[in-house]
Amino acid sequence: MDVSDRLGIIQAVTWDPDQLRAGCAEVAAVARYVRIQPGSISAYAKGVADNPPHTGVIGQHPNAIAAEWLILDAINFGSGWFPTLRKRPGLSGYRTIAAGLRERFERAGPWSAGELAEITPHELARTVGQDPDHPLVALFVASLRDLGRHVATDHGGRFEAVVAHGEGVQLVNTLSTWECFADVSVYDGISLPFLKRAQIAAADLHRAGAAHFTDLHRLTIFADNLVPHVLALDGVLRLHPDLQAAIAGEELLQHGSAPEVELRACAVHACELLVAAVGPERITAAELDGILWERGGQPRYKAKPRPRCRTTAY
C-alpha cells in the first residue's frame, strides 16, 4: 500500500465548510444505513447547550504550543486499531498515545521539523509505549515525517509560522494539501472533505493560545466514529439493523463504504440541526463536538461497541 492509499487522496481545491455542510445534508437526505430522527433534535439540544468541553494548554512558547498540537493532531487517528494497542490503566487508545507524547514534550520539548522528517518507528514506539512493528506506528511515522517535511520546507522549520497568518478556515485549507491531514470521502458522486484532523487542529491551536482565529464558528464538527456512536445511543441517529448488527459484532467498517460515510455525514448534519436549535450565538459546531466527545467517554457509551474503521482519517 503506498502513501496515498494510506493517508487519503489530497484535494487541491479550496475547502469551503459550507460546501461540506451542504454535501452532508445531501447525504443525510438519501442515506440508506443512517437516518436522523428530526423529532429528537429540540429536546436533545436543551441537554447539550450548557456543558462546555474541558480544554487545556500543554505548552508555553507559541512555537512549542504549535508544534505540540500539530504533532498530536497529525497522528490523531487509528481508532480502528485501538483495541490492539497496549493501553495505560484507565486510558483510552487516544489518551494513551497522547500521554506518551505529552511526557516527551515535558521532558525534552517537541521534536523539531528536521527531527520529525527523519523520525523512526523505534523512536516513536518508545515514546508512545507500543510495538515498533505495530501497523499503526508505521502510519504515525509516515504522517509525522510528512508534517516535518512541510514545516521545514514551507515554513522555515517554524511550527508557529504555519498558523501565523490568516484564519482557521485558511489553516484547514493549508493542511488539507498535506498528506498527513488528508481526509476526503466520496458518496454517490458527492465529495465530502471532512478534514476532521485539520479542523480540530485549528480549534486546538486557538484554544491553546497559538492562534487567535475569529472564524471558528465556520467549522463543522470533527467527524469521526465517536460522535455518531453517541448520537446513535442517544436516539438522534437511527441505524439500519444490518449496520447495528455489524457494530455490535465489532466488525470493522470499510473506509469509504456507504455505511461508514453515512455515519460521518449524518453526524455532521445532525449537529448542524442541533446548533440551529440551540442558537448559533450560544454554541458552535466545534464546541458541540467537544461536548459530545467528552460524553462518549462516560461508562454508558464505552460499554457499547462503537463503529470502528481502520483509516488515517480518525
Side-chain angles (χ1 to χ4, degrees), residues 208-274:
H212 299 284
F213 300 135
T214 62
D215 65 344
L216 293 184
H217 62 283
R218 297 191 61 202
L219 303 182
T220 70
I221 64 161
F222 315 129
D224 59 5
N225 63 323
L226 182 55
V227 170
H229 176 63
V230 171
L231 293 176
L233 288 183
D234 287 351
V236 177
L237 299 181
R238 179 169 57 84
L239 309 187
H240 188 283
D242 290 346
L243 178 55
Q244 275 190 319
I247 294 170
E250 301 187 61
E251 298 177 21
L252 290 172
L253 302 180
Q254 180 67 38
H255 180 54
S257 66
E260 189 262 347
V261 178
E262 287 181 14
L263 281 166
R264 299 180 80 192
C266 289
V268 170
H269 188 55
C271 286
E272 290 299 315
L273 297 176
L274 288 167

Side-chain angles (χ1 to χ4, degrees), residues 87-238:
K87 298 186 185 69
R88 297 189 180 196
L91 295 186
S92 66
Y94 168 76
R95 294 191 187 279
T96 292
I97 299 299
L101 289 175
R102 288 189 170 105
E103 288 170 0
R104 150 76 200 208
F105 299 156
E106 292 170 357
R107 181 178 68 253
W111 291 282
S112 68
E115 290 170 334
L116 280 180
E118 298 181 355
I119 195 168
T120 66
H122 282 83
E123 180 177 4
L124 183 61
R126 284 196 304 272
T127 301
V128 298
Q130 303 301 320
D131 185 331
D133 294 324
H134 193 288
L136 190 54
V137 170
L139 292 172
F140 283 168
V141 166
S143 190
L144 291 176
R145 286 177 177 174
D146 186 68
L147 173 64
R149 286 191 294 266
H150 277 289
V151 175
T153 301
D154 304 342
H155 299 282
R158 295 173 55 246
F159 291 89
E160 62 184 320
V162 180
V163 299
H165 305 287
E167 288 282 16
V169 170
Q170 183 175 334
L171 174 63
V172 176
N173 263 292
T174 296
L175 298 180
S176 73
T177 65
W178 299 5
E179 290 175 348
C180 53
F181 283 96
D183 175 16
V184 180
S185 293
V186 177
Y187 183 93
D188 288 349
I190 303 169
S191 180
L192 299 166
F194 290 112
L195 294 170
K196 179 255 185 179
R197 294 182 297 105
Q199 290 201 70
I200 203 171
D204 285 340
L205 289 161
H206 176 86
R207 287 191 295 251
H212 299 284
F213 300 135
T214 62
D215 65 344
L216 293 184
H217 62 283
R218 297 191 61 202
L219 303 182
T220 70
I221 64 161
F222 315 129
D224 59 5
N225 63 323
L226 182 55
V227 170
H229 176 63
V230 171
L231 293 176
L233 288 183
D234 287 351
V236 177
L237 299 181
R238 179 169 57 84

